Amino acid sequence: MRIDVVSIFPEYLAPLELSLIGKARQDGLLELKVHDLRTFTTDKHRTVDDTPYGGGAGMVMKPEPWAQALESVAGAGAAEGASAASGDSASEGSRKPVLIVPSPAGERFNQALAYELAEEEQLVFACGRYEGIDERVIEWAEEHFTVRPVSLGDYVLNGGEVAVLAMVEAIGRLLPGVVGNPESLIEESHSDGLLEYPVFTKPSSWRERDVPAVLLSGNHGKIAQWRRHEQFRRTADRRPDLLAEFDAGSLSRADRNV
Ligand SMILES: Nc1ccccc1-c1cnco1
């Protein structure tokens, strides 16, 4: 996968050089490039914003630098794919790259969307700041991208960079070879529509609190049943909304007895 991030604060994305995502980049499992939007300005002040038509507080990001930046990265994934592809590169990159615009007015990011986006050949993230990006950029971008405004949640950030850090980690860790043990992806919160069960490690007794005895029993059937029950209990307690969405049809026979 190829990821491009456009921002006026490229240094904000430095954490993507660290840890799991940083190693994936070093191992060639993920190609990620960060671009400074100001590179695509033409005036001596490298202006990226201006006052809003219709009045109001704050500034709006100008359209032309964004169009120049997005044109510059569009298809880079296909180009990379084509150069890397030994076979029919015509089929490589035939899909438009996905332009993800972090926005409080976007669809909610969740694990299902992370899995969906992890299948893409190229993701481009446009980090808006100020009061946002001129809406005409979003409309124009539909010619070159599949455009998806995405929200991390119902709260206000100062820009899209923090959202991109979260989304790139959530998506990048799903790519083949990134997480050491792929099995660890199976039992995570939200991987099956429920919250994950509680975990414990040594010592078995700590500050007069004991690890649940079933986990020390060696009875793997009972342990699995206890863990599944804990998933349902936790989800009902903390995220009843998820239970409402949970596909009861996916319940196994064992689930029905927890
Ligand atoms: N508030 C914001 C401002 C700018 C870019 C993204 C956001 C955002 C994303 N998810 C929630 O908020």
Side-chain angles (χ1 to χ4, degrees):
M1 174 185 283
R2 162 70 181 255
I3 294 179
D4 292 276
V5 184
V6 182
S7 167
I8 59 171
F9 294 124
E11 63 278 13
Y12 222 115
L13 286 305
L16 296 178
E17 295 165 15
L18 307 174
S19 188
L20 201 73
I21 300 301
K23 188 172 185 308
R25 294 169 71 180
Q26 288 167 9
D27 294 348
L29 299 174
L30 166 65
E31 185 180 7
L32 189 148
K33 291 189 177 178
V34 180
H35 310 267
D36 184 344
L37 179 67
R38 294 190 194 276
T39 309
F40 300 94
T41 59
T42 52
D43 64 308
K44 69 176 180 178
H45 298 298
R46 309 184 81 197
T47 308
V48 294
D49 64 325
D50 204 333
T51 54
Y53 278 118
M59 302 288 271
V60 173
M61 299 191 94
K62 293 168 63 66
E64 188 56 23
W66 275 109
Q68 297 286 340
L70 295 177
E71 281 175 333
S72 156
V73 300
E80 297 294 329
S83 60
S86 55
D88 169 12
S89 58
S91 61
E92 295 284 335
S94 54
R95 284 164 64 168
K96 289 195 287 188
V98 177
L99 174 64
I100 299 164
V101 184
S103 164
E107 66 182 293
R108 271 303 282 276
F109 186 72
N110 57 24
Q111 194 66 10
L113 183 51
Y115 272 107
E116 180 186 337
L117 295 173
E119 296 296 318
E120 293 294 337
E121 187 176 293
Q122 181 185 11
L123 301 177
V124 178
F125 290 89
C127 297
R129 284 253 148 193
Y130 307 113
E131 298 309 310
I133 301 171
D134 186 303
E135 188 64 20
R136 290 169 294 180
V137 173
I138 310 304
E139 295 162 11
W140 163 86
E142 289 287 0
E143 297 168 26
H144 306 271
F145 301 89
T146 300
V147 182
R148 301 195 63 171
V150 176
S151 167
L152 279 195
D154 296 336
Y155 44 80
V156 180
L157 301 169
N158 288 329
E161 287 81 5
V162 165
V164 170
L165 289 173
M167 288 190 271
V168 168
E169 177 155 318
I171 295 162
R173 64 195 301 278
L174 300 178
L175 299 176
V178 174
V179 170
N181 177 5
E183 283 191 19
S184 62
L185 296 177
I186 295 169
E187 295 191 334
E188 295 179 321
S189 276
H190 306 293
S191 61
D192 57 2
L194 298 171
L195 299 186
E196 60 196 9
Y197 51 76
V199 291
F200 304 83
T201 188
K202 301 180 187 64
S204 61
S205 186
W206 172 76
R207 293 193 181 192
E208 298 175 15
R209 297 174 187 274
D210 297 339
V211 169
V214 66
L215 299 181
L216 309 179
S217 69
N219 182 327
H220 297 296
K222 287 287 186 192
I223 291 170
Q225 188 178 45
W226 179 87
R227 285 173 166 173
R228 194 65 171 165
H229 178 270
E230 283 298 297
Q231 280 189 276
F232 280 105
R233 185 186 60 76
R234 261 186 170 188
T235 307
D237 179 40
R238 299 178 185 176
R239 289 293 305 276
D241 58 300
L242 291 180
L243 269 193
E245 292 169 24
F246 182 71
D247 173 13
S250 68
L251 284 174
S252 68
R253 182 186 304 275
D255 283 339
R256 291 188 176 86
N257 300 323
V258 296

